[in-house]
mmCIF file with all atom_site columns, all heavy atoms in Angstrom:
data_model
loop_
_atom_site.group_PDB
_atom_site.id
_atom_site.type_symbol
_atom_site.label_atom_id
_atom_site.label_alt_id
_atom_site.label_comp_id
_atom_site.label_asym_id
_atom_site.label_entity_id
_atom_site.label_seq_id
_atom_site.pdbx_PDB_ins_code
_atom_site.Cartn_x
_atom_site.Cartn_y
_atom_site.Cartn_z
_atom_site.occupancy
_atom_site.B_iso_or_equiv
_atom_site.pdbx_formal_charge
_atom_site.auth_seq_id
_atom_site.auth_comp_id
_atom_site.auth_asym_id
_atom_site.auth_atom_id
_atom_site.pdbx_PDB_model_num
ATOM 1   N N   . GLN A 1 67 ? 33.902 -29.698 -56.211 1.00 78.00 ? 97  GLN A N   1
ATOM 2   C CA  . GLN A 1 67 ? 34.420 -29.958 -57.547 1.00 78.00 ? 97  GLN A CA  1
ATOM 3   C C   . GLN A 1 67 ? 33.403 -29.565 -58.612 1.00 78.00 ? 97  GLN A C   1
ATOM 4   O O   . GLN A 1 67 ? 33.758 -28.984 -59.640 1.00 78.00 ? 97  GLN A O   1
ATOM 5   C CB  . GLN A 1 67 ? 34.786 -31.438 -57.705 1.00 78.00 ? 97  GLN A CB  1
ATOM 6   C CG  . GLN A 1 67 ? 36.046 -31.846 -56.990 1.00 78.00 ? 97  GLN A CG  1
ATOM 7   C CD  . GLN A 1 67 ? 36.320 -33.342 -57.163 1.00 78.00 ? 97  GLN A CD  1
ATOM 8   O OE1 . GLN A 1 67 ? 35.520 -34.070 -57.745 1.00 78.00 ? 97  GLN A OE1 1
ATOM 9   N NE2 . GLN A 1 67 ? 37.461 -33.785 -56.643 1.00 78.00 ? 97  GLN A NE2 1
ATOM 10  N N   . LEU A 1 68 ? 32.147 -29.914 -58.349 1.00 75.00 ? 98  LEU A N   1
ATOM 11  C CA  . LEU A 1 68 ? 31.103 -29.589 -59.335 1.00 75.00 ? 98  LEU A CA  1
ATOM 12  C C   . LEU A 1 68 ? 30.941 -28.080 -59.519 1.00 75.00 ? 98  LEU A C   1
ATOM 13  O O   . LEU A 1 68 ? 30.665 -27.607 -60.622 1.00 75.00 ? 98  LEU A O   1
ATOM 14  C CB  . LEU A 1 68 ? 29.759 -30.212 -58.928 1.00 75.00 ? 98  LEU A CB  1
ATOM 15  C CG  . LEU A 1 68 ? 29.642 -31.720 -59.119 1.00 75.00 ? 98  LEU A CG  1
ATOM 16  C CD1 . LEU A 1 68 ? 28.356 -32.230 -58.482 1.00 75.00 ? 98  LEU A CD1 1
ATOM 17  C CD2 . LEU A 1 68 ? 29.673 -32.080 -60.601 1.00 75.00 ? 98  LEU A CD2 1
ATOM 18  N N   . ILE A 1 71 ? 34.614 -26.892 -61.297 1.00 71.00 ? 101 ILE A N   1
ATOM 19  C CA  . ILE A 1 71 ? 35.195 -27.561 -62.470 1.00 71.00 ? 101 ILE A CA  1
ATOM 20  C C   . ILE A 1 71 ? 34.586 -27.014 -63.754 1.00 71.00 ? 101 ILE A C   1
ATOM 21  O O   . ILE A 1 71 ? 33.405 -26.716 -63.821 1.00 71.00 ? 101 ILE A O   1
ATOM 22  C CB  . ILE A 1 71 ? 35.020 -29.086 -62.366 1.00 71.00 ? 101 ILE A CB  1
ATOM 23  C CG1 . ILE A 1 71 ? 35.985 -29.769 -63.317 1.00 71.00 ? 101 ILE A CG1 1
ATOM 24  C CG2 . ILE A 1 71 ? 33.621 -29.509 -62.668 1.00 71.00 ? 101 ILE A CG2 1
ATOM 25  C CD1 . ILE A 1 71 ? 36.198 -31.216 -63.013 1.00 71.00 ? 101 ILE A CD1 1
ATOM 26  N N   . GLU A 1 72 ? 35.410 -26.933 -64.742 1.00 72.00 ? 102 GLU A N   1
ATOM 27  C CA  . GLU A 1 72 ? 34.972 -26.458 -66.070 1.00 72.00 ? 102 GLU A CA  1
ATOM 28  C C   . GLU A 1 72 ? 35.266 -27.517 -67.113 1.00 72.00 ? 102 GLU A C   1
ATOM 29  O O   . GLU A 1 72 ? 35.273 -27.232 -68.303 1.00 72.00 ? 102 GLU A O   1
ATOM 30  C CB  . GLU A 1 72 ? 35.709 -25.154 -66.422 1.00 72.00 ? 102 GLU A CB  1
ATOM 31  C CG  . GLU A 1 72 ? 35.373 -23.993 -65.524 1.00 72.00 ? 102 GLU A CG  1
ATOM 32  C CD  . GLU A 1 72 ? 33.906 -23.583 -65.590 1.00 72.00 ? 102 GLU A CD  1
ATOM 33  O OE1 . GLU A 1 72 ? 33.257 -23.691 -66.657 1.00 72.00 ? 102 GLU A OE1 1
ATOM 34  O OE2 . GLU A 1 72 ? 33.384 -23.146 -64.544 1.00 72.00 ? 102 GLU A OE2 1
ATOM 35  N N   . ALA A 1 73 ? 35.496 -28.746 -66.677 1.00 68.00 ? 103 ALA A N   1
ATOM 36  C CA  . ALA A 1 73 ? 35.839 -29.830 -67.602 1.00 68.00 ? 103 ALA A CA  1
ATOM 37  C C   . ALA A 1 73 ? 34.589 -30.295 -68.339 1.00 68.00 ? 103 ALA A C   1
ATOM 38  O O   . ALA A 1 73 ? 33.475 -30.123 -67.865 1.00 68.00 ? 103 ALA A O   1
ATOM 39  C CB  . ALA A 1 73 ? 36.452 -30.985 -66.825 1.00 68.00 ? 103 ALA A CB  1
ATOM 40  N N   . PRO A 1 74 ? 34.792 -30.901 -69.539 1.00 66.00 ? 104 PRO A N   1
ATOM 41  C CA  . PRO A 1 74 ? 33.629 -31.378 -70.293 1.00 66.00 ? 104 PRO A CA  1
ATOM 42  C C   . PRO A 1 74 ? 33.007 -32.644 -69.696 1.00 66.00 ? 104 PRO A C   1
ATOM 43  O O   . PRO A 1 74 ? 31.863 -32.956 -69.968 1.00 66.00 ? 104 PRO A O   1
ATOM 44  C CB  . PRO A 1 74 ? 34.198 -31.661 -71.682 1.00 66.00 ? 104 PRO A CB  1
ATOM 45  C CG  . PRO A 1 74 ? 35.650 -31.887 -71.469 1.00 66.00 ? 104 PRO A CG  1
ATOM 46  C CD  . PRO A 1 74 ? 36.032 -31.072 -70.279 1.00 66.00 ? 104 PRO A CD  1
ATOM 47  N N   . LEU A 1 75 ? 33.752 -33.367 -68.854 1.00 66.00 ? 105 LEU A N   1
ATOM 48  C CA  . LEU A 1 75 ? 33.227 -34.594 -68.259 1.00 66.00 ? 105 LEU A CA  1
ATOM 49  C C   . LEU A 1 75 ? 32.973 -34.390 -66.763 1.00 66.00 ? 105 LEU A C   1
ATOM 50  O O   . LEU A 1 75 ? 33.712 -33.681 -66.065 1.00 66.00 ? 105 LEU A O   1
ATOM 51  C CB  . LEU A 1 75 ? 34.209 -35.748 -68.440 1.00 66.00 ? 105 LEU A CB  1
ATOM 52  C CG  . LEU A 1 75 ? 34.453 -36.225 -69.875 1.00 66.00 ? 105 LEU A CG  1
ATOM 53  C CD1 . LEU A 1 75 ? 35.492 -37.334 -69.882 1.00 66.00 ? 105 LEU A CD1 1
ATOM 54  C CD2 . LEU A 1 75 ? 33.169 -36.689 -70.525 1.00 66.00 ? 105 LEU A CD2 1
ATOM 55  N N   . CYS A 1 76 ? 31.929 -35.069 -66.299 1.00 68.00 ? 106 CYS A N   1
ATOM 56  C CA  . CYS A 1 76 ? 31.536 -35.010 -64.887 1.00 68.00 ? 106 CYS A CA  1
ATOM 57  C C   . CYS A 1 76 ? 32.592 -35.737 -64.043 1.00 68.00 ? 106 CYS A C   1
ATOM 58  O O   . CYS A 1 76 ? 32.979 -36.856 -64.381 1.00 68.00 ? 106 CYS A O   1
ATOM 59  C CB  . CYS A 1 76 ? 30.162 -35.652 -64.711 1.00 68.00 ? 106 CYS A CB  1
ATOM 60  S SG  . CYS A 1 76 ? 29.659 -35.778 -62.996 1.00 68.00 ? 106 CYS A SG  1
ATOM 61  N N   . PRO A 1 77 ? 33.064 -35.141 -62.926 1.00 64.00 ? 107 PRO A N   1
ATOM 62  C CA  . PRO A 1 77 ? 34.052 -35.797 -62.081 1.00 64.00 ? 107 PRO A CA  1
ATOM 63  C C   . PRO A 1 77 ? 33.446 -36.965 -61.289 1.00 64.00 ? 107 PRO A C   1
ATOM 64  O O   . PRO A 1 77 ? 34.158 -37.817 -60.777 1.00 64.00 ? 107 PRO A O   1
ATOM 65  C CB  . PRO A 1 77 ? 34.538 -34.699 -61.137 1.00 64.00 ? 107 PRO A CB  1
ATOM 66  C CG  . PRO A 1 77 ? 33.436 -33.714 -61.097 1.00 64.00 ? 107 PRO A CG  1
ATOM 67  C CD  . PRO A 1 77 ? 32.756 -33.785 -62.433 1.00 64.00 ? 107 PRO A CD  1
ATOM 68  N N   . GLU A 1 80 ? 31.597 -39.314 -64.924 1.00 67.00 ? 110 GLU A N   1
ATOM 69  C CA  . GLU A 1 80 ? 32.370 -39.222 -66.152 1.00 67.00 ? 110 GLU A CA  1
ATOM 70  C C   . GLU A 1 80 ? 31.505 -39.194 -67.406 1.00 67.00 ? 110 GLU A C   1
ATOM 71  O O   . GLU A 1 80 ? 31.888 -39.672 -68.469 1.00 67.00 ? 110 GLU A O   1
ATOM 72  C CB  . GLU A 1 80 ? 33.402 -40.352 -66.215 1.00 67.00 ? 110 GLU A CB  1
ATOM 73  C CG  . GLU A 1 80 ? 34.395 -40.262 -65.079 1.00 67.00 ? 110 GLU A CG  1
ATOM 74  C CD  . GLU A 1 80 ? 35.563 -41.219 -65.244 1.00 67.00 ? 110 GLU A CD  1
ATOM 75  O OE1 . GLU A 1 80 ? 35.734 -41.816 -66.317 1.00 67.00 ? 110 GLU A OE1 1
ATOM 76  O OE2 . GLU A 1 80 ? 36.321 -41.338 -64.271 1.00 67.00 ? 110 GLU A OE2 1
ATOM 77  N N   . GLN A 1 81 ? 30.320 -38.646 -67.270 1.00 72.00 ? 111 GLN A N   1
ATOM 78  C CA  . GLN A 1 81 ? 29.435 -38.379 -68.409 1.00 72.00 ? 111 GLN A CA  1
ATOM 79  C C   . GLN A 1 81 ? 29.637 -36.924 -68.793 1.00 72.00 ? 111 GLN A C   1
ATOM 80  O O   . GLN A 1 81 ? 30.234 -36.139 -68.061 1.00 72.00 ? 111 GLN A O   1
ATOM 81  C CB  . GLN A 1 81 ? 27.969 -38.626 -68.007 1.00 72.00 ? 111 GLN A CB  1
ATOM 82  C CG  . GLN A 1 81 ? 27.670 -40.072 -67.584 1.00 72.00 ? 111 GLN A CG  1
ATOM 83  C CD  . GLN A 1 81 ? 27.821 -41.037 -68.751 1.00 72.00 ? 111 GLN A CD  1
ATOM 84  O OE1 . GLN A 1 81 ? 27.399 -40.749 -69.871 1.00 72.00 ? 111 GLN A OE1 1
ATOM 85  N NE2 . GLN A 1 81 ? 28.456 -42.175 -68.492 1.00 72.00 ? 111 GLN A NE2 1
ATOM 86  N N   . PRO A 1 82 ? 29.109 -36.527 -69.952 1.00 71.00 ? 112 PRO A N   1
ATOM 87  C CA  . PRO A 1 82 ? 29.241 -35.115 -70.312 1.00 71.00 ? 112 PRO A CA  1
ATOM 88  C C   . PRO A 1 82 ? 28.597 -34.237 -69.241 1.00 71.00 ? 112 PRO A C   1
ATOM 89  O O   . PRO A 1 82 ? 27.509 -34.532 -68.756 1.00 71.00 ? 112 PRO A O   1
ATOM 90  C CB  . PRO A 1 82 ? 28.483 -35.007 -71.637 1.00 71.00 ? 112 PRO A CB  1
ATOM 91  C CG  . PRO A 1 82 ? 28.447 -36.399 -72.174 1.00 71.00 ? 112 PRO A CG  1
ATOM 92  C CD  . PRO A 1 82 ? 28.486 -37.307 -71.000 1.00 71.00 ? 112 PRO A CD  1
ATOM 93  N N   . LEU A 1 83 ? 29.289 -33.185 -68.858 1.00 69.00 ? 113 LEU A N   1
ATOM 94  C CA  . LEU A 1 83 ? 28.832 -32.306 -67.777 1.00 69.00 ? 113 LEU A CA  1
ATOM 95  C C   . LEU A 1 83 ? 28.093 -31.107 -68.341 1.00 69.00 ? 113 LEU A C   1
ATOM 96  O O   . LEU A 1 83 ? 28.691 -30.145 -68.807 1.00 69.00 ? 113 LEU A O   1
ATOM 97  C CB  . LEU A 1 83 ? 30.020 -31.849 -66.932 1.00 69.00 ? 113 LEU A CB  1
ATOM 98  C CG  . LEU A 1 83 ? 29.692 -31.032 -65.691 1.00 69.00 ? 113 LEU A CG  1
ATOM 99  C CD1 . LEU A 1 83 ? 28.811 -31.836 -64.736 1.00 69.00 ? 113 LEU A CD1 1
ATOM 100 C CD2 . LEU A 1 83 ? 30.970 -30.625 -64.987 1.00 69.00 ? 113 LEU A CD2 1
ATOM 101 N N   . THR A 1 84 ? 26.773 -31.202 -68.294 1.00 74.00 ? 114 THR A N   1
ATOM 102 C CA  . THR A 1 84 ? 25.939 -30.075 -68.721 1.00 74.00 ? 114 THR A CA  1
ATOM 103 C C   . THR A 1 84 ? 25.517 -29.334 -67.478 1.00 74.00 ? 114 THR A C   1
ATOM 104 O O   . THR A 1 84 ? 25.640 -29.827 -66.349 1.00 74.00 ? 114 THR A O   1
ATOM 105 C CB  . THR A 1 84 ? 24.697 -30.589 -69.478 1.00 74.00 ? 114 THR A CB  1
ATOM 106 O OG1 . THR A 1 84 ? 23.922 -31.374 -68.577 1.00 74.00 ? 114 THR A OG1 1
ATOM 107 C CG2 . THR A 1 84 ? 25.090 -31.416 -70.691 1.00 74.00 ? 114 THR A CG2 1
ATOM 108 N N   . ASP A 1 85 ? 24.971 -28.136 -67.718 1.00 77.00 ? 115 ASP A N   1
ATOM 109 C CA  . ASP A 1 85 ? 24.518 -27.341 -66.569 1.00 77.00 ? 115 ASP A CA  1
ATOM 110 C C   . ASP A 1 85 ? 23.381 -28.032 -65.822 1.00 77.00 ? 115 ASP A C   1
ATOM 111 O O   . ASP A 1 85 ? 23.325 -28.002 -64.590 1.00 77.00 ? 115 ASP A O   1
ATOM 112 C CB  . ASP A 1 85 ? 24.061 -25.951 -67.041 1.00 77.00 ? 115 ASP A CB  1
ATOM 113 C CG  . ASP A 1 85 ? 25.246 -25.085 -67.455 1.00 77.00 ? 115 ASP A CG  1
ATOM 114 O OD1 . ASP A 1 85 ? 26.379 -25.388 -66.972 1.00 77.00 ? 115 ASP A OD1 1
ATOM 115 O OD2 . ASP A 1 85 ? 25.051 -24.143 -68.216 1.00 77.00 ? 115 ASP A OD2 1
ATOM 116 N N   . SER A 1 86 ? 22.462 -28.681 -66.555 1.00 80.00 ? 116 SER A N   1
ATOM 117 C CA  . SER A 1 86 ? 21.351 -29.374 -65.885 1.00 80.00 ? 116 SER A CA  1
ATOM 118 C C   . SER A 1 86 ? 21.866 -30.594 -65.110 1.00 80.00 ? 116 SER A C   1
ATOM 119 O O   . SER A 1 86 ? 21.403 -30.882 -64.003 1.00 80.00 ? 116 SER A O   1
ATOM 120 C CB  . SER A 1 86 ? 20.283 -29.790 -66.895 1.00 80.00 ? 116 SER A CB  1
ATOM 121 O OG  . SER A 1 86 ? 20.806 -30.752 -67.783 1.00 80.00 ? 116 SER A OG  1
ATOM 122 N N   . HIS A 1 87 ? 22.832 -31.295 -65.685 1.00 75.00 ? 117 HIS A N   1
ATOM 123 C CA  . HIS A 1 87 ? 23.414 -32.456 -65.008 1.00 75.00 ? 117 HIS A CA  1
ATOM 124 C C   . HIS A 1 87 ? 24.137 -31.995 -63.733 1.00 75.00 ? 117 HIS A C   1
ATOM 125 O O   . HIS A 1 87 ? 24.015 -32.633 -62.676 1.00 75.00 ? 117 HIS A O   1
ATOM 126 C CB  . HIS A 1 87 ? 24.373 -33.184 -65.952 1.00 75.00 ? 117 HIS A CB  1
ATOM 127 C CG  . HIS A 1 87 ? 24.964 -34.433 -65.366 1.00 75.00 ? 117 HIS A CG  1
ATOM 128 N ND1 . HIS A 1 87 ? 24.217 -35.527 -65.011 1.00 75.00 ? 117 HIS A ND1 1
ATOM 129 C CD2 . HIS A 1 87 ? 26.255 -34.752 -65.075 1.00 75.00 ? 117 HIS A CD2 1
ATOM 130 C CE1 . HIS A 1 87 ? 24.998 -36.456 -64.529 1.00 75.00 ? 117 HIS A CE1 1
ATOM 131 N NE2 . HIS A 1 87 ? 26.261 -36.014 -64.567 1.00 75.00 ? 117 HIS A NE2 1
ATOM 132 N N   . ARG A 1 88 ? 24.856 -30.881 -63.853 1.00 74.00 ? 118 ARG A N   1
ATOM 133 C CA  . ARG A 1 88 ? 25.558 -30.311 -62.697 1.00 74.00 ? 118 ARG A CA  1
ATOM 134 C C   . ARG A 1 88 ? 24.546 -29.945 -61.611 1.00 74.00 ? 118 ARG A C   1
ATOM 135 O O   . ARG A 1 88 ? 24.732 -30.270 -60.444 1.00 74.00 ? 118 ARG A O   1
ATOM 136 C CB  . ARG A 1 88 ? 26.355 -29.077 -63.122 1.00 74.00 ? 118 ARG A CB  1
ATOM 137 C CG  . ARG A 1 88 ? 27.167 -28.457 -62.000 1.00 74.00 ? 118 ARG A CG  1
ATOM 138 C CD  . ARG A 1 88 ? 27.770 -27.121 -62.394 1.00 74.00 ? 118 ARG A CD  1
ATOM 139 N NE  . ARG A 1 88 ? 28.440 -27.149 -63.671 1.00 74.00 ? 118 ARG A NE  1
ATOM 140 C CZ  . ARG A 1 88 ? 29.758 -27.040 -63.845 1.00 74.00 ? 118 ARG A CZ  1
ATOM 141 N NH1 . ARG A 1 88 ? 30.541 -26.895 -62.810 1.00 74.00 ? 118 ARG A NH1 1
ATOM 142 N NH2 . ARG A 1 88 ? 30.297 -27.072 -65.033 1.00 74.00 ? 118 ARG A NH2 1
ATOM 143 N N   . ALA A 1 89 ? 23.463 -29.299 -62.003 1.00 81.00 ? 119 ALA A N   1
ATOM 144 C CA  . ALA A 1 89 ? 22.422 -28.885 -61.044 1.00 81.00 ? 119 ALA A CA  1
ATOM 145 C C   . ALA A 1 89 ? 21.777 -30.115 -60.394 1.00 81.00 ? 119 ALA A C   1
ATOM 146 O O   . ALA A 1 89 ? 21.520 -30.129 -59.179 1.00 81.00 ? 119 ALA A O   1
ATOM 147 C CB  . ALA A 1 89 ? 21.378 -28.021 -61.730 1.00 81.00 ? 119 ALA A CB  1
ATOM 148 N N   . LEU A 1 91 ? 23.116 -33.119 -59.976 1.00 81.00 ? 121 LEU A N   1
ATOM 149 C CA  . LEU A 1 91 ? 24.071 -33.719 -59.055 1.00 81.00 ? 121 LEU A CA  1
ATOM 150 C C   . LEU A 1 91 ? 24.203 -32.903 -57.768 1.00 81.00 ? 121 LEU A C   1
ATOM 151 O O   . LEU A 1 91 ? 24.250 -33.460 -56.663 1.00 81.00 ? 121 LEU A O   1
ATOM 152 C CB  . LEU A 1 91 ? 25.440 -33.871 -59.723 1.00 81.00 ? 121 LEU A CB  1
ATOM 153 C CG  . LEU A 1 91 ? 25.568 -34.986 -60.763 1.00 81.00 ? 121 LEU A CG  1
ATOM 154 C CD1 . LEU A 1 91 ? 26.935 -34.920 -61.433 1.00 81.00 ? 121 LEU A CD1 1
ATOM 155 C CD2 . LEU A 1 91 ? 25.381 -36.344 -60.109 1.00 81.00 ? 121 LEU A CD2 1
#
Side-chain angles (χ1 to χ4, degrees):
Q97 286 178 355
L98 286 171
I101 198 163
E102 295 297 327
L105 294 178
C106 174
E110 298 190 11
Q111 298 294 318
L113 185 60
T114 63
D115 288 337
S116 65
H117 183 63
R118 183 189 312 249
L121 286 174

